[in-house]
Amino acid sequence: MGAVSARLPVFPWDRLEPYKATAAAHADGIVDLSVGTPVDPVPALIQDALAGASDSPGYPTVWGTPALRDALTGWAERRLGATGLAHENVLPVVGSKELVAWVPTQLGIGAGDKVAYPRLAYPTYEVGARLAGAEPVVYDTPWELDPAGLKLLWLNSPSNPTGRVLSPEDLRRTVSWAREHGILVFSDECYLELGWEADPVSVLHPEVNGGSYDGIVAVHSLSKRSNLAGYRAAFVAGDAAVLGELLQIRKHGGMMIPAPVQAATIAALGDDAHVAEQRERYARRRAALRTAFEAAGFRIEHSEASLYLWATRDEPCWDTVGDLSKRGILVAPGDFYGPAGERFVRVAFTATDERVDAAVRRLAE
């Protein structure tokens, strides 16, 4: 058998290990602004819900409990402006990365088909295409793509890594173009609740989709808004026919969220106070890091939303990574997200307040 891994690029984060070692050798320890993993406590009401459901000896269901589906539809209507969502329009998934990586395969996309995603993008869009044996295609403007053979179009707003937010007009035009050509749209909206200088809009909003979910699916995660990266709690919402097909495939594959995590998800989606509190933390860290990086000679582009600053000193990204690692600061090289990022670095503001303060001091030295 041929190794499936041979289809895939080198796992990007492995390339960062030597720089991580350099940063870790700093006398005051590493300030890790690279991966963007949450560091703040899981809110108590979510921990309590998880513990309360811990006596769960039976198998959970792939579709989740009716209470979970109620929570998913209710949140999407309240927070995203979606209308008329039924249980058939939602599906919990085991973290958004799993969904992104495997959805082309699960939908039967393969050799001879194309999967498109932004030129600067989360690497897993390409990985998903390659796992399925499809052709990955990058774009600058989605409606300028050649639609021939294109089966799946990824949108990502707010963007990882750039923090760019697509306007409702651009989203509407993309959805209309994709429907005209019979192309399925998956919109990765995992950072939608983290808008700073823009107000991100979901493809589930009727101003974007015209009141129909045909041909569109939105991807959402609780990892960042609720500090639940360790729980692997995410969901998709949109076209009932697409989600029904995914449900059948995922039932056979046993791709189910553990029952205690389902209970925790219900609690997380039912409470907005902890999200506002976490936003305030990130806003403070973002402001401090942006000021410090700009004072140190960096230019910040886009970054109007998400958990990252897209920064450049107009030099090769690995030169920047190397220089910052000597100061004990670890950032992600922009070329992880495509060749167009080769002169940028992505700076996450998910470190603790104490570590952010340390980075600010070091950048001023």
Side-chain angles (χ1 to χ4, degrees):
M1 292 186 295
V4 175
S5 62
R7 304 178 194 168
L8 307 178
V10 174
F11 187 63
W13 296 100
D14 290 346
R15 296 167 55 201
L16 201 57
E17 284 301 315
Y19 299 91
K20 185 175 183 179
T22 298
H26 191 278
D28 186 38
I30 188 174
V31 178
D32 193 342
L33 308 177
S34 61
V35 177
T37 188
V39 298
D40 299 303
V42 173
L45 84 161
I46 300 175
Q47 294 189 48
D48 290 345
L50 183 82
S54 61
D55 186 15
S56 298
Y59 289 112
T61 65
V62 171
W63 202 12
T65 63
L68 175 59
R69 285 175 254 144
D70 282 342
L72 298 179
T73 56
W75 179 85
E77 291 180 352
R78 186 178 84 252
R79 299 292 290 121
L80 306 181
T83 57
L85 286 172
H87 284 193
E88 290 74 17
N89 296 113
V90 294
L91 178 66
V93 296
V94 191
S96 58
K97 183 170 185 175
E98 169 264 304
L99 184 281
V100 172
W102 290 108
V103 76
T105 298
Q106 291 173 1
L107 291 177
I109 295 170
D113 299 328
K114 297 177 182 177
V115 174
Y117 51 88
R119 188 172 301 279
L120 279 167
Y122 182 46
T124 312
Y125 305 137
E126 177 186 357
V127 166
R130 293 190 181 280
L131 283 171
E135 179 185 350
V137 178
V138 299
Y139 67 80
D140 295 306
T141 305
W143 55 82
E144 293 179 355
L145 283 163
D146 179 357
L150 184 55
K151 301 296 184 182
L152 176 61
L153 171 66
W154 280 104
L155 298 177
N156 181 209
S157 175
S159 163
N160 175 14
T162 68
R164 181 187 177 199
V165 173
L166 297 177
S167 69
E169 294 76 20
D170 284 348
L171 290 171
R172 185 164 53 245
R173 183 172 180 179
T174 300
V175 168
S176 177
W177 176 85
R179 284 173 170 168
E180 178 185 348
H181 295 286
I183 299 164
L184 179 60
V185 173
F186 265 67
S187 180
D188 181 348
E189 304 174 352
C190 289
Y191 298 94
L192 189 136
E193 291 192 283
L194 295 167
W196 310 110
E197 296 158 0
D199 188 14
V201 176
S202 172
V203 295
L204 300 180
H205 197 287
E207 289 185 5
V208 173
N209 61 42
S212 168
Y213 300 121
D214 290 349
I216 59 171
V217 176
V219 182
H220 284 270
S221 168
L222 282 74
S223 293
K224 308 304 192 295
R225 48 124 34 218
S226 298
N227 299 333
L228 295 189
Y231 284 47
R232 310 316 300 137
F235 69 95
V236 288
D239 191 318
V242 175
L243 299 191
E245 174 67 8
L246 286 175
L247 176 59
Q248 295 306 312
I249 298 299
R250 294 169 71 84
K251 281 181 179 179
H252 283 288
M255 306 181 82
M256 59 191 80
I257 296 178
V261 176
Q262 293 189 28
T265 299
I266 294 169
L269 293 177
D271 178 73
D272 293 334
H274 78 275
V275 180
E277 181 180 345
Q278 189 61 44
R279 273 184 56 90
E280 290 178 3
R281 292 190 186 107
Y282 285 143
R284 292 194 303 269
R285 295 165 185 166
R286 176 182 184 271
L289 287 170
R290 179 164 195 156
T291 298
F293 271 90
E294 288 179 333
F298 286 82
R299 184 176 72 256
I300 308 298
E301 293 193 1
H302 298 301
S303 307
E304 59 262 31
S306 83
L307 284 177
Y308 312 108
L309 299 173
W310 190 235
T312 182
R313 285 194 307 204
D314 295 309
E315 65 183 6
C317 61
W318 287 99
D319 290 353
T320 308
V321 170
D323 177 63
L324 290 173
S325 72
K326 294 172 185 175
R327 306 190 202 189
I329 300 170
L330 189 67
V331 297
D335 66 2
F336 276 12
Y337 309 94
E342 64 185 1
R343 299 180 73 81
F344 285 80
V345 294
R346 194 195 72 170
V347 181
F349 37 92
T350 52
T352 64
D353 291 341
E354 184 273 332
R355 289 289 84 188
V356 167
D357 290 344
V360 169
R361 291 193 303 272
R362 295 175 195 182
L363 288 166
E365 292 173 354

